[in-house]
Every structure is written in C-alpha cells, then in structure tokens.
Amino acid sequence: MGSWTERGFVAQSVEDYKTQIQNVFVDAFGADFNVTDDTLPQCILIQELAELFANADADSIQVLAQLNPNTVSGIWLDIVALARGLQRTAGIPQTATVSVVSESSALPFTISQGQTFVCNETGESFVLAQAKTITSVNDSMQLKFSGEGNSAAAVGDHFHTEGIPAITTIEIVGLSAGTERETDSAFRARLRASAPVFNPTNEHIMG
C-alpha cells in the first residue's frame, strides 16, 4: 500500500504492485512458478490484485487532498476548519428600504413576517424579516435579500408580491450594502494562518 514519507503520501503504481505480488508468489511456490504469462490464472489474479491496490492508493489520494488545508475546498473545507474551531464567515444579505403605496380603504393592514417580494426588474426575491403594519397610504418598510451579499436591484426598481391587493406600488428608495460569503481561498488562508504548523503537503507519486 501507499506510504507516508517526508514528502507526504506516496502512492504506488500498478506495475510496482504487480512486481511485489509476483515476488510473493515466487517465494511461496518456488522459482519455477510462472508469474509472467498473463494468460495463466495466477497471472490474471496478480494483475487484478495489483490494480485493486493501485486504485485504493488513488482513492486515498483523493481523500487526503480534501483534508489538505492547501487544496481543500467547498464543504470539505468547512469540515476541516470546523475541526480546528473555525467557521466560514457567512454573507450578510443586502437590505432594501422601500416605499409602500396602498389603497386608503384597506388601512390598516398587516404584512406577515416572511412575505416574499420579487423585484420586477431583476426577478430576485426579498423577504420581510418582521411583520409590518401599514397604517398610511404612503408608508415604508425594509426587506432583506433572500441570497447572500448584494442583489442586482437598484434604487428606483419596483417589487410585486402575492396576496396583498391593497398595495399598489412598492419602490426601492434605499439599499444598504451586503457582504459576500467568505470565499474558499480567503477561508483557506485564514485556516493556514490559524495553524501554520499544520501544513502537510500530501504530495504523491502516481506510476
């Protein structure tokens, strides 16, 4: 099987394994035992065992690469970092301040927490984080972008929503900047900085 050296995990090739297994068979059955004729049953078995061991090494390399703080990414990066007490910085959604124009005959009415509003111009959705009671024809409220970071919406864009016919116009009058979710590269750098000694290379050799 592959082994750990000062260079990291070193995998062996199919040919390396085949030679080793051939030597085992010769030691067990004698020098006259044929281990080179690939048409013989024992040679077919040797080849299959060599491929099995080499594939196991290749699988090990794939797993180890996902544990290496220099190369790990995605959910594996989150798992490795969490084991060291670090969490990825989540994105903060953008907030839109909107003016709400409603029919006077329907006042007052309450918009439920979690109500979804879709931007007419971009198709992106925003959500009402807290229930809002509309008490005047011209009112306002704040909506949070349903994604992380910033949307493509702009001041002057309009929203629509379902199930509230009393509202006639919803227009963005202000936008606060959100922050994007921490990228893999930034998170890896923070992980390495938190534990500079923990820096395996996991180099490998494939034949």
Side-chain angles (χ1 to χ4, degrees):
M1 292 295 186
S3 59
W4 284 97
T5 71
E6 67 278 2
R7 296 179 56 198
F9 182 79
V10 179
Q12 298 188 52
S13 69
V14 173
E15 289 305 315
D16 289 337
Y17 279 121
K18 186 173 182 179
T19 299
Q20 294 174 49
I21 298 170
Q22 286 172 334
N23 292 337
V24 170
F25 273 65
V26 169
D27 289 343
F29 298 106
D32 294 334
F33 191 73
N34 191 326
V35 293
T36 58
D37 184 351
D38 290 338
T39 64
L40 296 175
Q42 65 266 26
C43 297
I44 294 173
L45 176 61
I46 289 172
Q47 178 67 29
E48 291 182 347
L49 287 173
E51 291 177 359
L52 178 65
F53 292 147
N55 287 338
D57 277 4
D59 290 341
S60 297
I61 289 170
Q62 292 299 318
V63 172
L64 290 170
Q66 292 298 340
L67 299 178
N68 182 352
N70 294 309
T71 58
V72 64
S73 61
I75 186 63
W76 282 98
L77 175 56
D78 292 323
I79 293 171
V80 171
L82 186 61
R84 303 194 66 79
L86 293 179
Q87 288 186 306
R88 189 190 299 266
T89 301
I92 299 175
Q94 181 181 48
T95 298
T97 300
V98 299
S99 63
V100 181
V101 179
S102 307
E103 295 178 359
S104 59
S105 59
L107 299 174
F109 63 91
T110 299
I111 305 174
S112 301
Q113 177 181 351
Q115 179 77 22
T116 298
F117 297 80
V118 178
C119 181
N120 297 346
E121 288 76 12
T122 69
E124 294 164 305
S125 61
F126 284 64
V127 176
L128 183 65
Q130 294 183 331
K132 169 69 175 179
T133 298
I134 303 297
T135 58
S136 61
V137 171
N138 295 293
D139 211 327
S140 65
M141 61 185 180
Q142 290 190 325
L143 306 175
K144 285 192 177 295
F145 180 41
S146 60
E148 293 180 336
N150 296 309
S151 70
V155 172
D157 286 353
H158 295 81
F159 286 103
H160 65 272
T161 190
E162 299 293 331
I164 312 178
I167 297 177
T168 59
T169 306
I170 308 170
E171 181 178 345
I172 299 177
V173 295
L175 287 166
S176 67
T179 58
E180 300 296 332
R181 179 173 180 265
E182 188 172 22
T183 64
D184 281 353
S185 60
F187 196 19
R188 273 197 301 270
R190 190 156 62 87
L191 173 61
R192 290 196 297 268
S194 72
V197 183
F198 182 67
N199 189 29
T201 60
N202 288 345
E203 293 182 13
H204 59 274
I205 299 173
M206 292 295 290

